[in-house]
Amino acid sequence: MAACRRCGTEMVRLFIHPKFPISLNGNMMHVLRLGSKAAQGHVVRGCHQSVWSSHSTVKKVGVDLGERKLEISTGKLARFADGSAVVQVGDTSVMVTAVSKTKPTSSQFMPLVVDYRQKAAAAGRIPTNYLRRELGTTDNEILTSRLIDRSIRPLFPAGYFYDTQVLCNLLAVDGVNDPDVLAINGASAALAVSDIPWNGPIGAVRMGLVDGEFLVNPTRKEMSSSTLNLVVVGGPHSQVVMMEAAGENVLQQDFCHAVKLGVKHTQQIILAIQQLAKECSVSKRTPQKLFAAVAEIVEYAKQLASEKIYAVFTDSSHDKISRDEAIKKIRLETEELIRERFPDADPYEVMESFNTVSKQTFRNITLNEYRRCDGRDLTSLRNISCEVDIFKPLHGSALFQRGQTQVLCTVTFDSLESNIKTDIITTAVSGVKDKNFMLHYEFPPYATNEIGKMSGMNRRELGHGALAEKSLKPVIPKDFPFTIRVTSEVLESNGSSSMASACGGSLALMDAGVPISSAVAGVAIGLISKPNPENPSEIQDYKLLTDILGIEDYNGDMDFKMAGTNKGITALQADVKIPGLPLKIVMEAIQQATVAKKEILGIMNKAIAKPRLNRKENGPVVETVCVPISKRARFVGPGGYNLRKLQAETGVTISQVDEETFSIFAPTPSAMYEAQEFISEICKDDQEQQLEFGAVYTATITEIRDIGVMVKLYPNMSAVLLHNSQLDHKRIKHPSAIGLEVGQQIQVKYFGRDPTDGRMRLSRKVLQSPAATIVKTLSDKFSIAVGTSNSQASNAS
């Protein structure tokens, strides 16, 4: 069975029998026009051919963005998809496809899936895993997929519950232009040229700030010196649909200017995509059904429950759990009465009718009465408490409580070898390299009084952790001698847990003694808006809410998270649920967040105002050991045996810095003490005697080997090899050929140490020659010794 692309009706082969006439609905009338041959099995193919042919003409538009040109084309690749577009800047090309089913799903939400995949071939590399294929998804792929999802999701029609998939396929990456912003524009173009209902298009640009100059879609090299990394997604009429930013204490006025400049450039992209869609002349499909509450049922639910809901939402004595329980009780009673009154109503219509009444009541209280369900005014913060040094054995810990959101943050130090090493494909495609600071966010189900599966990290946790990490990264010192891992575990959640993680992480870093440049705080700003009845895309009235609760996020129109120091902004993420925000509201939200951020920093400073001067006594230790070349072989051991033994017995980590310097990381001071004793033992100075270059010494044979004899010049010395080639002028295959035995004493001449491996160079052969006496009597002994030592080194090798 297949679905016709034109009518969306599922069908099998259609056979018409003259004796048994059939009746067809209006949506299938075009099948009859195809003739009896088509009706006998070519209906689906014919419809697919019409879709394929509608995309068969190549169309292209271009946009000049600064010094670079962005090109968008369609009609050449992936023409069976509902929409397909290729976006190119420089030599970086991304293809994005969009496909949406014509039959509604059973889900009660918009089932949109966005997948952004890095391709090794696009970067000219081969994956290094065993199968040499792209396996699984990387963090960068997930974060970019979320970026695209948040940009396009608000523009789908309300109630469009049809499975929709947007796939981003990297075709070529030049290492200069990042493909993530191109993928957002590609998704916009693919949806715009398709028949999928979507209220776009949108445009996306990246803004950088280098030496006070704003750059549009900067190159990867320019971004390496930029203090701002801002992705702005704009909609028609200069509205903001999505923002994601990381900055190094960017001033508020600079940030606002970057947003305005970015939105201005997105309008050029939007006009180009609109022109492309117009040339394709594809009409949007009419969905079989847009899921929405029935007005009659909503009105009945309003009569039954609006006063009860109002009473709950205006009772500030409720906490999260009790408020949810009270609303749940009203819901069950109301839905039961609705089902009795409207027995033929769908379960979704019954449920959505109550949701509509509840949401309208909640929003009207804020808009009309300037009240919030917990009793605060619109710009007030919840009660905040901070504690540090919660658990003594930890390197750093802090507990941050804001209302009913509670986050426990811990700091752990480890060696620089423990930093995150990205795979070569991610580095080649996105430029993400190794990093020695990371923040991991955990959201267990008990944080919201639920039961769930603890099956590792999900996309939401990864996104929230990445935001908190971006908030703190600019204040971490570049030359810190440890890898830092901050873990943020949400113990209670009632809104804005990611910003609470930024606050708690800052406190824990200061408790651990990390010399951060400034404390960091974050806050979430919400929005309740009222659209203009004559023009729904315009906002007639609105209220901005500081430090939103979970229910305010759920019933609101925006989740605007901003973090930073007293000086500027370090991270920002704006998720919008309506088709777009005017710049005026965005600027007000930034200002309101700045005021709240400074207030939070003042509260945090009462717990700990600056980083501790010294790290905790049980913290890790890093020391450097200088190992002369002459002792390196003994320090490392055969095949690295000594180093492996040292690390296994003491738990330290050793890494080589340069030719003579090794860095030793110990998790505790006691481990460092054990390591020092071990090193002293294996590297004790057994060459205490100062040997004179060119002098003759008496050596004792300690071992006979096939290739030579092991000798000692004095008792506490480690035995060294005297090779067969240095025993006698005659070529010998075994030391016994000249009568040498263990314990025998022989005369040898000292020629210093090999400059490459530090081994002692001795020779008995030169003493068997009359020339040796001349060497003894010449004052310029180095001229002969250097030549001799070189020859010995070559012979020994």
Side-chain angles (χ1 to χ4, degrees):
M1 184 175 287
C4 174
R5 283 287 180 175
R6 183 170 172 182
C7 66
T9 304
E10 289 189 349
M11 56 191 174
V12 293
R13 288 189 174 185
L14 180 62
F15 296 94
I16 301 177
H17 196 282
K19 292 184 179 180
F20 302 98
I22 60 173
S23 60
L24 300 174
N25 58 33
N27 288 333
M28 290 292 289
M29 289 301 294
H30 68 282
V31 176
L32 297 179
R33 299 191 186 100
L34 295 175
S36 59
K37 183 176 180 181
Q40 290 180 4
H42 299 277
V43 174
V44 177
R45 175 184 288 184
C47 290
H48 272 280
Q49 285 176 339
S50 65
V51 172
W52 185 88
S53 61
S54 67
H55 297 311
S56 61
T57 306
V58 178
K59 299 175 181 64
K60 183 181 293 186
V61 293
V63 182
D64 290 323
L65 297 174
E67 300 177 357
R68 282 166 286 279
K69 185 174 182 179
L70 183 143
E71 294 182 348
I72 307 174
S73 62
T74 186
K76 184 177 181 179
L77 304 178
R79 285 171 287 181
F80 277 138
D82 288 330
S84 173
V86 176
V87 183
Q88 180 174 351
V89 171
D91 289 326
T92 296
S93 297
V94 181
M95 182 185 74
V96 184
T97 57
V99 177
S100 183
K101 286 188 176 180
T102 53
K103 182 180 179 181
T105 181
S106 57
S107 302
Q108 297 175 351
F109 58 91
M110 168 57 186
L112 172 65
V113 175
V114 178
D115 275 318
Y116 172 91
R117 292 299 176 91
Q118 298 171 166
K119 300 289 185 179
R125 301 302 300 266
I126 296 176
T128 55
N129 56 63
Y130 177 74
L131 296 176
R132 299 298 187 266
R133 298 174 66 94
E134 288 86 356
L135 302 177
T137 53
T138 64
D139 289 358
N140 186 66
E141 289 174 326
I142 293 173
L143 293 174
T144 307
S145 298
R146 283 173 53 87
L147 201 68
I148 301 167
D149 186 301
R150 290 171 17 228
S151 301
I152 63 177
R153 185 180 289 272
L155 283 85
F156 282 94
Y160 185 77
F161 297 163
Y162 295 77
D163 284 310
T164 305
Q165 186 176 43
V166 175
L167 296 181
C168 305
N169 186 5
L170 300 192
L171 301 179
V173 178
D174 59 8
V176 177
N177 301 284
D178 284 328
D180 52 356
V181 172
L182 304 189
I184 300 175
N185 290 313
S188 172
L191 288 167
V193 301
S194 73
D195 64 343
I196 301 172
W198 189 64
N199 301 319
I202 57 173
V205 295
R206 170 176 273 113
M207 298 299 299
L209 180 60
V210 179
D211 298 329
E213 181 182 356
F214 291 97
L215 303 177
V216 182
N217 284 352
T219 62
R220 191 176 296 175
K221 183 178 180 181
E222 290 169 336
M223 281 304 302
S224 64
S225 56
S226 175
T227 57
L228 175 65
N229 182 2
L230 167 66
V231 176
V232 183
V233 179
H237 313 297
S238 297
Q239 292 188 324
V240 175
V241 177
M242 196 280 301
M243 287 196 303
E244 180 97 14
E248 297 180 7
N249 273 329
V250 179
L251 298 178
Q252 180 182 341
Q253 58 267 30
D254 290 339
F255 190 89
C256 292
H257 183 65
V259 173
K260 294 175 182 176
L261 197 60
V263 171
K264 178 182 176 181
H265 284 89
T266 61
Q267 300 308 297
Q268 303 177 43
I269 300 174
I270 290 171
L271 290 175
I273 297 176
Q274 286 175 338
Q275 178 186 342
L276 187 67
K278 186 177 180 181
E279 292 178 5
C280 292
S281 61
V282 176
S283 57
K284 295 296 183 180
R285 73 177 70 153
T286 302
Q288 292 182 13
K289 180 181 181 181
L290 287 177
F291 291 79
V294 180
E296 185 182 358
I297 303 179
V298 171
E299 187 60 33
Y300 184 63
K302 191 173 182 180
Q303 296 173 11
L304 294 174
S306 61
E307 292 183 1
K308 298 177 183 177
I309 295 173
Y310 178 87
V312 173
F313 285 152
T314 53
D315 185 358
S316 59
S317 64
H318 280 299
D319 61 14
K320 172 183 169 63
I321 302 298
S322 64
R323 185 183 299 113
D324 290 348
E325 289 294 332
I327 294 295
K328 182 181 178 181
K329 182 180 179 181
I330 300 171
R331 172 191 292 277
L332 294 175
E333 294 173 354
T334 305
E335 289 182 353
E336 183 64 28
L337 294 173
I338 291 174
R339 278 190 286 268
E340 292 177 2
R341 175 75 174 270
F342 301 94
D344 297 331
D346 292 337
Y348 174 80
E349 293 173 343
V350 174
M351 180 188 68
E352 188 60 21
S353 62
F354 181 85
N355 290 342
T356 302
V357 174
S358 175
K359 188 173 183 179
Q360 286 176 351
T361 305
F362 184 91
R363 293 165 67 90
N364 288 335
I365 292 172
T366 304
L367 281 171
N368 303 330
E369 303 180 20
Y370 300 87
R371 298 168 63 186
R372 300 169 71 172
C373 61
D374 59 354
R376 288 181 292 153
D377 60 39
L378 303 185
T379 58
S380 293
L381 296 169
R382 289 173 284 175
N383 293 329
I384 296 175
S385 63
C386 309
E387 295 180 54
V388 295
D389 200 13
I390 305 296
F391 301 103
K392 302 297 182 184
L394 302 180
H395 300 161
S397 58
L399 184 68
F400 183 83
Q401 181 95 36
R402 178 159 49 191
Q404 288 186 297
T405 296
Q406 184 185 72
V407 175
L408 173 66
C409 289
T410 62
V411 172
T412 306
F413 298 133
D414 212 318
S415 68
L416 292 176
E417 295 296 311
S418 301
N419 63 359
I420 293 180
K421 299 173 178 63
T422 58
D423 60 282
I424 61 171
I425 308 304
T426 299
T427 302
V429 171
S430 63
V432 178
K433 298 181 180 178
D434 302 352
K435 57 180 183 180
N436 67 336
F437 170 70
M438 64 200 84
L439 187 146
H440 294 156
Y441 170 97
E442 300 174 11
F443 193 97
Y446 60 76
T448 52
N449 191 31
E450 295 176 356
I451 295 173
K453 195 174 181 181
M454 299 293 289
S455 57
M457 177 185 59
N458 56 39
R459 287 192 169 198
R460 177 186 174 277
E461 290 182 350
L462 180 62
H464 281 55
L467 177 62
E469 181 181 304
K470 285 191 291 189
S471 304
L472 296 172
K473 186 178 179 181
V475 300
I476 303 294
K478 307 293 183 185
D479 56 349
F480 197 67
F482 303 108
T483 294
I484 306 172
R485 179 179 185 241
V486 177
T487 58
S488 171
E489 186 169 0
V490 181
L491 306 181
E492 301 171 1
S493 177
N494 189 15
S496 191
S497 58
S498 60
M499 290 296 92
S501 298
C503 299
S506 175
L507 293 169
L509 287 168
M510 289 193 286
D511 177 57
V514 179
I516 60 177
S517 57
S518 179
V520 173
V523 67
I525 305 295
L527 172 71
I528 304 291
S529 65
K530 181 180 181 181
N532 188 341
E534 298 178 359
N535 187 359
S537 63
E538 294 182 359
I539 294 178
Q540 185 181 47
D541 188 20
Y542 66 91
K543 295 292 183 292
L544 289 171
L545 311 178
T546 296
D547 187 17
I548 56 175
L549 300 170
I551 192 171
E552 292 172 331
D553 181 11
Y554 177 76
N555 288 321
D557 298 323
M558 178 183 74
D559 185 9
F560 187 98
K561 306 182 185 100
M562 194 182 88
T565 65
N566 262 322
K567 179 182 176 183
I569 297 170
T570 57
L572 184 144
Q573 185 182 93
D575 293 336
V576 181
K577 301 176 186 178
I578 55 180
L581 290 178
L583 277 170
K584 177 177 179 290
I585 296 180
V586 175
M587 298 302 118
E588 289 182 18
I590 294 175
Q591 174 60 29
Q592 197 160 317
T594 301
V595 174
K597 176 190 65 176
K598 292 181 178 179
E599 186 177 347
I600 297 168
L601 285 170
I603 299 172
M604 291 169 57
N605 286 338
K606 295 178 182 177
I608 181 168
K610 59 182 180 179
R612 299 188 188 278
L613 296 178
N614 299 310
R615 292 188 294 272
K616 294 186 178 180
E617 293 181 358
N618 62 342
V621 183
V622 171
E623 290 188 6
T624 56
V625 176
C626 186
V627 180
I629 295 177
S630 60
K631 299 179 183 178
R632 187 169 58 189
R634 182 166 180 79
F635 176 71
V636 174
Y641 171 78
N642 287 343
L643 294 187
R644 291 196 301 272
K645 184 179 179 183
L646 173 62
Q647 294 180 107
E649 291 186 359
T650 64
V652 302
T653 303
I654 300 178
S655 56
Q656 189 166 356
V657 178
D658 56 37
E659 194 175 34
E660 294 188 349
T661 307
F662 290 81
S663 174
I664 301 178
F665 168 86
T668 60
S670 60
M672 178 60 76
Y673 178 74
E674 292 178 20
Q676 289 173 337
E677 285 192 333
F678 186 94
I679 293 170
S680 299
E681 180 65 25
I682 64 174
C683 278
K684 61 183 178 181
D685 193 358
D686 57 6
Q687 312 295 342
E688 294 173 358
Q689 312 269 346
Q690 294 297 319
L691 302 179
E692 181 185 352
F693 189 94
V696 178
Y697 295 94
T698 300
T700 303
I701 300 176
T702 60
E703 183 182 351
I704 302 291
R705 296 185 179 181
D706 290 342
I707 59 172
V709 294
M710 302 296 293
V711 298
K712 285 187 176 183
L713 303 187
Y714 43 88
N716 65 338
M717 169 187 167
S718 299
V720 297
L721 176 68
L722 184 58
H723 196 266
N724 286 339
S725 61
Q726 299 300 320
L727 289 176
D728 200 88
H729 286 287
K730 296 182 294 183
R731 182 182 295 274
I732 59 174
K733 294 184 177 181
H734 195 274
S736 60
I738 56 174
L740 297 181
E741 298 177 352
V742 174
Q744 182 179 346
Q745 293 186 338
I746 58 176
Q747 300 295 311
V748 295
K749 195 169 186 178
Y750 175 68
F751 288 105
R753 295 183 178 276
D754 192 309
T756 57
D757 57 17
R759 294 181 181 180
M760 187 182 294
R761 296 186 299 189
L762 303 173
S763 177
R764 176 177 178 269
K765 177 174 69 174
V766 296
L767 298 179
Q768 308 302 313
S769 168
T773 10
I774 303 175
V775 174
K776 211 48 175 153
T777 55
L778 288 175
S779 59
D780 190 11
K781 59 183 179 181
F782 290 102
S783 61
I784 299 176
V786 170
T788 308
S789 65
N790 288 339
S791 64
Q792 306 309 323
S794 62
N795 290 337
S797 61

